[in-house]
Amino acid sequence: MFTSKLHNLCQKLRWPAPANADRREGPDHAPTFHATVAVGPAVFRSPAAPRPRTRKQVRDLAARAAFEDLAGWEAPPQLLPETQVPYKCQLQDYAQKRQKDLPLYHTIQSGPLHLPMFRSTVTIDGRTFESPKDYNTKKKAESAAAAAALMALADQAKPLEKMLLCFTGQRLGAWR
């Protein structure tokens, strides 16, 4: 139960999937198990007592320890470098932080059915951006369109940042 909750939490926060490890000790007629789950740099262990009798139970106990510790964070740490956050997620974050409508994707399929190619456009804040070429998957085409939008929107934001720097004397944080 907590194993799936932990996976869902990691997915929601765009963290790598938890890595489980377990070991068996004792005689065949009365084995005991120990489990650990790693989420980024943090490692959580199943409690020492009482000892569950199955691998599944100890993995769930380790996942429970991780979930209870991580779910309470108000500002979760960034476990993935910023460059590994998918472009579509970055564009959605951009829209949400600026209280704009969410990006709307439109993808066109071309080519034969056995070898389809995709080209995508994304519309955000009334502007439409297109993927620079055709891709072999819809996901890659949408990601390329989102990347094009982010680059254009970042270039548009740079003059504003320079102007604010002149007035305030402070540098704004990295654009996201």
Side-chain angles (χ1 to χ4, degrees):
M1 178 176 159
F2 280 97
T3 303
S4 62
K5 284 184 177 184
L6 181 61
H7 274 275
N8 290 341
L9 177 67
C10 289
Q11 196 172 33
K12 176 183 171 186
L13 298 173
R14 290 185 238 124
W15 293 352
N20 293 305
D22 57 63
R23 71 178 194 278
R24 179 180 185 222
E25 295 177 345
D28 288 341
H29 68 280
T32 57
F33 297 95
H34 304 276
T36 59
V37 62
V39 181
V43 177
F44 302 90
R45 291 172 174 59
S46 57
R51 297 207 190 261
R53 298 223 175 232
T54 67
R55 277 191 169 98
K56 185 177 179 181
Q57 288 174 332
V58 295
R59 281 187 172 189
D60 197 57
L61 287 172
R64 180 180 185 166
F67 180 81
E68 288 175 349
D69 189 59
L70 300 174
W73 289 352
E74 297 209 4
Q78 185 73 19
L79 294 181
L80 286 175
E82 185 74 10
T83 57
Q84 289 185 8
V85 175
Y87 292 119
K88 287 178 67 174
C89 293
Q90 290 183 41
L91 187 59
Q92 184 171 333
D93 288 346
Y94 170 87
Q96 288 174 334
K97 287 179 183 177
R98 287 157 183 80
Q99 298 176 343
K100 301 192 180 295
D101 289 335
L102 292 178
L104 180 64
Y105 293 89
H106 178 70
T107 304
I108 299 171
Q109 180 178 341
S110 62
L113 291 177
H114 70 282
L115 193 60
M117 297 299 284
F118 299 92
R119 184 174 290 256
S120 190
T121 61
V122 61
T123 303
I124 181 168
D125 198 27
R127 296 178 59 192
T128 301
F129 304 92
E130 185 174 4
S131 58
K133 63 179 188 171
D134 291 342
Y135 293 87
N136 61 348
T137 67
K138 183 178 177 180
K139 181 177 179 179
K140 288 179 185 176
E142 288 180 351
S143 181
L150 285 167
M151 286 191 292
L153 294 168
D155 288 342
Q156 174 187 337
K158 286 180 184 173
L160 177 62
E161 180 178 334
K162 288 178 186 173
M163 188 170 56
L164 289 173
L165 178 61
C166 292
F167 288 117
T168 64
Q170 296 177 351
R171 185 157 180 82
L172 295 178
W175 178 83
R176 293 181 192 198

